[in-house]
Amino acid sequence: MKTLILGAGYAGLAVATRLKPTPGLQVLLVEQNAYHTFETRLHEAAAHNTRVTLPLAPLLRGTGVEWEQAKVEGVDLDEREVRLRDGRVLTYDTLVVGLGSVTNFYRIPGLAEHSTELKELAHADEIFNFVNRTFDSDFEGNRDIVVGGAGLTGVELVTELAQRAEVLSKARGLPPFNIYLVEAGPKILPVLDDALRAKAQRTLEDYGIQILTGHRLMEATAEGVTVQTVGGEQKKIGAGKIIWTGGIQARDIVHGEKLEKGPGGRIAVDDKLRANGYPEVFVIGDMGLALNQEGQPVPTTAQHAGQQGRVTGKNLMHLAQGEELDSYEPSTLGEFVSLGGLMAVGWMKLPWNQKLAITGGLAHVMKRASEWKWRSSID
Ligand SMILES: Cc1cc2nc3c(=O)[nH]c(=O)nc-3n(C[C@H](O)[C@H](O)[C@H](O)COP(=O)(O)OP(=O)(O)OC[C@H]3O[C@@H](n4cnc5c(N)ncnc54)[C@H](O)[C@@H]3O)c2cc1C
């Protein structure tokens, strides 16, 4: 069975590292980078230049999976073809697509041109370099930073940036820059309950971060952004760097006559994570629209991408051995938001669907534990 896995993110790498050399199973992993990126830690790389990648080759030892560094340009499910940037066309019997998501700029004027995203290492490097340059004695221009979107990524990023600014400020004897967190919705971190959100909000305020909830980003230019309040009042905020973390959509790279796409361009899949109309194609991670036990879309998180990858890895082995496929049963084990240094807030799942709220150092340890768990699952 000639199998292609596209993408070595949380979903694709979980598939590959689940596999063992199996007669009749021939697997090629195609990934544009020679490394796996811990996307959930990109905000740390943006603020502190923390290492957030691991070389791929050693992770695949003993799996029987071949891998190739190449960029996928398009996938035609009707022809069963994967087109690469270098002009080659790969064919398959079974395909696993885990190419992740891209930033959604919602067609806000100027935003794509004038903002930095936080989806890959190059974006983190760009932010890190800007922050450091603003503390050079000969830096000219606006040092302030506007972050759009107060979900998990935006909140984790602003706290790390505030910490970095404090360190540089002490070291270089210059005041820190201002950080504005702009959010169209009425609250930050809508995924958390009120008590945890209030704790997170206080932490951000203690850092001096200016939280502008109920402010819709209307336009971005080289000089900054225009925001509009719920009441319709517009104001301009000057900034030397605009960072947009306000939305994602599935990567639009897979095409097929029978394909069904849902919100955010995610590809509808069955309970085995196979694309509707294409039983030989598994779509997992941010690109797939898997449903939970209540029929609701599974969130686009690393946690769920990893679960989907693991079940798909098992299913590839089942297919090769002519066995029944397992169904995917999503489970949210908890959710933790880091708030800079040793501070975090979140919750973990207890038996009987109870949630245990955790804040402070222990929440930080829980967040790190989930990262270590991922790391050991792929090693
Ligand atoms: C800053 C940040 C913080 C986050 N924090 C959390 C968190 O705390 N908890 C949580 O659960 N989730 C978090 N997320 C979300 C999580 O990172 C994503 O849901 C997860 O990465 C999705 O996994 P995936 O495998 O679908 O995609 P990805 O991990 O993005 O992997 C996609 C892979 O495909 C490769 N690829 C893409 N296009 C091509 C191409 N054309 N050709 C070849 N290769 C290609 C990419 O290089 C990448 O390796 C965070 C995201 C960000 C950005």
Side-chain angles (χ1 to χ4, degrees), residues 171-324:
R172 313 256 172 103
L174 282 169
F177 42 70
N178 291 308
I179 302 174
Y180 300 89
L181 182 61
V182 174
E183 167 60 50
K187 48 197 178 189
I188 65 166
L189 295 172
V191 291
L192 292 187
D193 68 24
D194 287 345
L196 289 175
R197 179 177 317 106
K199 178 84 183 161
Q201 175 122 2
R202 277 198 300 280
T203 307
L204 264 60
E205 285 162 1
D206 289 346
Y207 277 123
I209 293 159
Q210 308 201 30
I211 305 170
L212 301 173
T213 45
H215 284 70
R216 184 172 295 281
L217 209 153
M218 304 299 289
E219 187 187 14
T221 65
E223 277 74 49
V225 297
T226 304
V227 292
Q228 179 172 305
T229 63
V230 182
E233 186 198 337
Q234 291 206 349
K235 57 184 169 195
K236 289 189 186 303
I237 305 171
K241 174 64 77 192
I242 304 162
I243 305 166
W244 178 244
T245 67
I248 57 163
Q249 59 190 4
R251 202 175 288 277
D252 183 18
I253 202 163
V254 178
H255 301 282
E257 288 279 313
K258 294 170 278 177
L259 211 56
E260 291 169 29
K261 291 192 178 175
R266 292 167 74 188
I267 295 173
V269 293
D270 65 12
D271 67 333
K272 311 285 191 291
L273 302 172
R274 297 170 302 191
N276 292 350
Y278 299 91
E280 70 286 6
V281 179
F282 296 86
V283 185
I284 55 178
D286 283 2
M287 281 189 82
L289 182 60
L291 301 180
N292 67 16
Q293 291 82 348
E294 287 79 45
Q296 297 302 313
V298 170
T300 46
T301 68
Q303 180 180 170
H304 294 98
Q307 286 173 11
Q308 292 170 21
R310 285 189 286 278
V311 78
T312 304
K314 268 168 96 179
N315 279 340
L316 291 183
M317 307 275 286
H318 287 322
L319 271 180
Q321 287 156 352
E323 297 166 355
E324 289 263 300

Side-chain angles (χ1 to χ4, degrees), residues 6-12 30-33 35-37 39-43 70-73 98-101 118-119 152-153 156 251 253 284-287 300-305 336 367:
L6 308 183
Y10 289 87
V30 180
E31 160 63 49
Q32 61 189 351
N33 298 316
Y35 51 79
H36 166 69
T37 305
E39 210 171 297
T40 62
R41 298 189 62 188
L42 276 176
H43 55 286
K71 187 155 177 111
V72 176
E73 282 221 321
L99 294 170
S101 50
L118 189 57
K119 287 293 289 170
L152 196 77
T153 306
E156 289 189 327
R251 202 175 288 277
I253 202 163
I284 55 178
D286 283 2
M287 281 189 82
T300 46
T301 68
Q303 180 180 170
H304 294 98
F336 288 92
K367 172 102 183 164

